[in-house]
Each structure stands twice: as structure tokens, then as C-alpha cells.
């Protein structure tokens, strides 16, 4: 099996975080991430600060001409920007200020993230309380609004860190459930119909176009079982980020085809919550096993795999989060030094 060269802006033997970090201090989080992940640092998310710093609220604050406020049942579309929108935008601005401070002169890859169109549609409620996923027109409007918001977010990040080679990560934990028709309605008694795969792929292709326009590479992250590797490859993503422990051999063919097509695997092999860490080589042993099973060339391993935690680190202690990121870096070096 021969695969396409997979060297990206972050180079071979890279490691990165998924996005969220513990605590509420933006400067401390930015310092930790940029200090630990020199090859591929990322803009931290700090959901512990509360509404607007959470995954959905943060992305809702990026939307253009679509606004949202927080109800007891979750985030809901609003007629105009209110306190919750202003708070989300303020948190993001604070995070960007901190990132800018610690990336002066940075000329390597830099990752920013937002919720993808399908997890957003499954999570953001329309005025009647049902998820936007129930309305195809609302899904299209939401995708268009998100695209405009991401253009602005990437442009703002580039203005603050002009030497960076940007990577856009879309968080899509609900994507497998959207494809399987497993997202529950507001009543909880039924589920929304599965969205046609071509429609899902089309929206993600629109996101890939936004990234390309901005000179960025697109990564889609999902820490749920059943990541649709083939669909994401067809949509034109650069990389797929996932919890490695959830893979099954049923996905081998799709993963092998993705790697052969040049897709980078962001392998979540380091636990995202406090616990003992194995030696770095042990953490990536399963990646080497997969590589051998697929018959892929060992020399391409460190070019085709970025080592990450299994998911975000918001639920970890600050000390463990620092240790986990450092462990990812050492594990990635182990892959590069000894791919066999």
C-alpha cells in the first residue's frame, strides 16, 4: 500500500491539544499551551468560566446575523444580540488577547476551533424549542452564518498572529448521531430523522472552502464512536481528530483509504482526565499496531499522525493537563524516532 505524502504545516512528529483546558485564567492556559506545544499550539477554550465560554455558546457568539441566548434547556436562537452573546464574544476576545501575548513572532502552525455545522444544528434550538436540525432551511442558514463567522475568526487570528499558518478545527461530537438519526427531539420521546449523507458532506465541504480561502487547513474532531472517515475525506478535510480507543477493525478500510489520500490522523491516545500515564512509547503502541495491520509504510507514520489527548482537557486538573500535553509531545517524538 503506498500513501500520498502527508507532511503538513506542522511537520512530522507533531502533537497538539484538542481545545479545552481546565480553569478560567486565559493567560495561564495560553502560556501552558504555547509552552508545551511548540509545533502545533492551539487557542485554548475555558468552559469552566460559564455560559458563553462553553463549546456551543462560544461558537454561537461567532455567528453572523444569527444570535442566541441561554435558556434552561440550552442555547436558543434570538432576534438580536443580548447579554449572552456579548459575554461569549468577550470571552473569545480575552482568549485571543492571551494567545497574541504568548505567540509574538510565532511563524509555525496555530490551531483555532469552533463547533461544526452539524453539532451546532443538533444543539442550537429554534424559537419553538426544537433543534435547528429539524428544519433543513434553518440548517442551511446556520451553515452560511457559521461560514461567515469563521471567515471573521480566521482573519482576526491572522491579524493578531500574522506569521502563523492557521489550522481550523471543527468540533463535531454529534456528527455520527446526526448521520444515524439518533439526536433526540425536545420531548425526548422521538429522534430526528437521519440527515442525508450528501447534505452533511456538502455543508462540511463548504467549511473546507472557507478554510482554503483563508489559507488554513481543516481538521474535524469527533470523540464519539463511529467517526465517518470516508465522508470526511470526501468533504476535503486535511485531518480527522478522534478518540483512538473507540476505533474498531470495521473502520480499518476507511482509515487506510483516508491516509492513502493524504488525510492526517489526529490520534487521541492520551487520557483526557486525571490518571496514570504510561511511558510515551506505550501510549502510541496501538497506533503502530494499526499501521502494521493496514500495511502502511512505517516511514510515513510520523508524517501522517498527530498525537493528541483523547478529548478536551476541561475535566482534568491543571497539573494533569500540563503533564498530558507534555506526554503527547514525547509520544509523538517516539513515533518519529521509532516508527516500527
Amino acid at each position: 500500500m503506498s500513501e500520498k505524502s502527508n507532511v503538513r504545516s506542522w511537520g512530522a512528529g507533531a502533537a497538539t491539544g484538542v481545545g479545552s483546558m481546565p480553569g478560567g485564567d486565559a493567560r495561564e492556559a495560553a502560556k501552558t499551551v504555547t509552552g508545551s506545544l511548540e509545533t502545533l499550539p492551539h487557542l485554548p477554550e475555558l468552559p469552566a468560566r460559564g455560559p458563553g465560554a462553553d463549546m456551543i455558546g462560544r461558537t454561537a457568539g461567532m455567528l453572523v446575523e444569527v444570535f442566541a441566548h441561554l435558556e434552561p434547556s440550552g442555547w436558543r436562537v434570538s432576534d438580536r444580540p443580548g447579554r449572552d452573546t456579548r459575554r461569549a464574544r468577550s470571552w473569545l476576545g480575552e482568549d485571543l488577547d492571551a494567545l497574541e501575548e504568548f505567540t509574538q513572532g510565532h511563524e509555525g502552525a496555530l490551531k483555532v476551533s469552533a463547533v461544526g455545522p452539524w453539532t451546532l444544528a443538533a444543539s442550537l434550538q429554534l424559537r419553538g424549542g426544537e433543534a435547528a436540525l429539524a428544519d433543513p432551511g434553518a440548517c442551511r442558514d446556520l451553515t452560511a452564518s457559521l461560514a461567515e463567522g469563521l471567515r471573521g475568526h480566521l482573519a482576526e487570528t491572522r491579524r493578531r498572529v500574522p506569521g502563523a499558518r492557521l489550522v481550523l478545527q471543527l468540533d463535531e461530537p454529534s456528527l455520527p448521531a446526526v448521520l444515524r438519526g439518533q439526536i433526540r427531539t425536545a420531548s425526548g420521546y422521538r429522534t430526528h430523522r437521519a440527515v442525508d449523507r450528501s447534505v452533511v458532506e456538502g455543508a462540511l465541504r463548504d467549511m473546507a472552502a472557507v478554510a482554503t480561502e483563508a489559507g488554513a487547513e481543516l481538521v474535524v474532531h469527533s470523540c464519539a464512536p463511529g467517526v465517518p472517515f470516508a465522508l470526511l475525506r470526501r468533504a476535503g478535510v486535511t485531518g480527522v481528530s478522534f478518540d483512538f480507543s473507540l476505533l474498531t477493525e470495521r473502520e480499518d478500510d476507511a482509515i487506510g483509504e483516508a491516509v492513502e489520500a493524504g488525510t492526517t490522523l489526529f490520534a487521541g491516545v492520551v487520557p483526557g482526565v486525571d490518571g496514570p500515564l504510561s511511558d510515551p512509547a506505550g501510549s502510541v503502541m496501538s497506533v503502530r499496531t494499526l499501521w502494521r495491520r493496514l500495511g502502511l509504510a512505517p516511514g510515513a507514520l510520523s508524517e501522517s499522525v498527530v498525537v493528541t489527548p483523547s478529548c478536551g482537557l476541561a475535566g482534568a486538573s491543571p497539573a494533569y493537563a500540563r503533564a498530558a500535553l507534555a506526554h503527547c509531545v514525547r509520544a509523538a517524538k517516539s513515533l518519529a524516532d521509532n516508527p516500527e
Side-chain angles (χ1 to χ4, degrees), residues 293-306:
R293 197 166 70 230
L294 295 178
L296 296 166
L301 180 52
S302 65
E303 298 175 356
S304 302
V305 173
V306 175

Side-chain angles (χ1 to χ4, degrees), residues 45-301:
E45 301 170 4
L46 300 172
R49 291 180 301 196
D54 62 293
M55 185 173 72
I56 300 301
R58 182 183 182 92
T59 300
M62 296 181 192
L63 297 176
V64 174
E65 296 183 0
V66 173
F67 311 107
H69 66 280
L70 192 61
E71 295 273 345
S73 57
W75 287 90
R76 185 171 296 187
V77 170
S78 303
D79 292 325
R80 60 185 65 85
R83 178 183 60 186
D84 294 328
T85 298
R86 289 192 293 273
R87 185 190 294 118
R89 291 174 177 173
S90 176
W91 287 136
L92 180 58
E94 183 178 305
D95 294 337
L96 285 167
D97 288 344
L99 183 75
E100 183 178 5
E101 177 183 349
F102 289 101
T103 53
Q104 291 298 303
H106 179 74
E107 294 186 345
L110 176 65
K111 182 162 68 72
V112 298
S113 57
V115 173
W118 296 107
T119 295
L120 194 61
S123 305
L124 190 60
Q125 302 166 10
L126 300 177
R127 290 175 181 81
E130 201 56 81
L133 191 65
D135 183 336
C139 289
R140 288 191 293 272
D141 291 346
L142 203 54
T143 297
S145 175
L146 178 61
E148 284 303 308
L150 291 175
R151 287 187 181 98
H153 184 44
L154 290 167
E156 175 65 9
T157 306
R158 190 173 297 286
R159 184 185 70 78
R160 290 170 176 266
V161 194
R165 297 190 296 274
L166 296 182
V167 179
L168 172 62
Q169 175 181 299
L170 295 180
D171 294 316
E172 284 281 17
S174 298
L175 180 58
V178 166
L179 289 166
R180 291 193 292 256
Q182 294 174 335
I183 299 295
R184 292 205 168 275
T185 59
S187 69
Y189 295 122
R190 296 185 298 108
T191 57
H192 294 287
R193 281 190 294 184
V195 180
D196 186 271
R197 297 180 80 87
S198 65
V199 174
V200 171
E201 183 181 325
L204 293 170
R205 192 178 293 280
D206 290 345
M207 300 297 109
V210 169
T212 299
E213 289 168 17
E217 293 172 284
L218 178 66
V219 174
V220 172
H221 168 73
S222 182
C223 51
V227 175
F229 288 94
L231 183 151
L232 294 172
R233 172 179 57 80
R234 291 193 304 270
V237 307
T238 298
V240 181
S241 174
F242 57 97
D243 181 344
F244 199 92
S245 70
L246 299 178
L247 288 185
T248 68
E249 291 193 19
R250 290 194 303 271
E251 290 150 311
D252 278 7
D253 287 347
I255 292 172
E257 289 168 4
V259 172
E260 284 190 310
T263 306
T264 300
L265 305 181
F266 284 63
V269 296
V270 176
V273 293
D274 291 43
L277 293 168
S278 69
D279 68 285
S283 292
V284 290
M285 188 180 300
S286 56
V287 179
R288 291 191 181 95
T289 300
L290 171 67
W291 221 250
R292 286 193 295 270
R293 197 166 70 230
L294 295 178
L296 296 166
L301 180 52

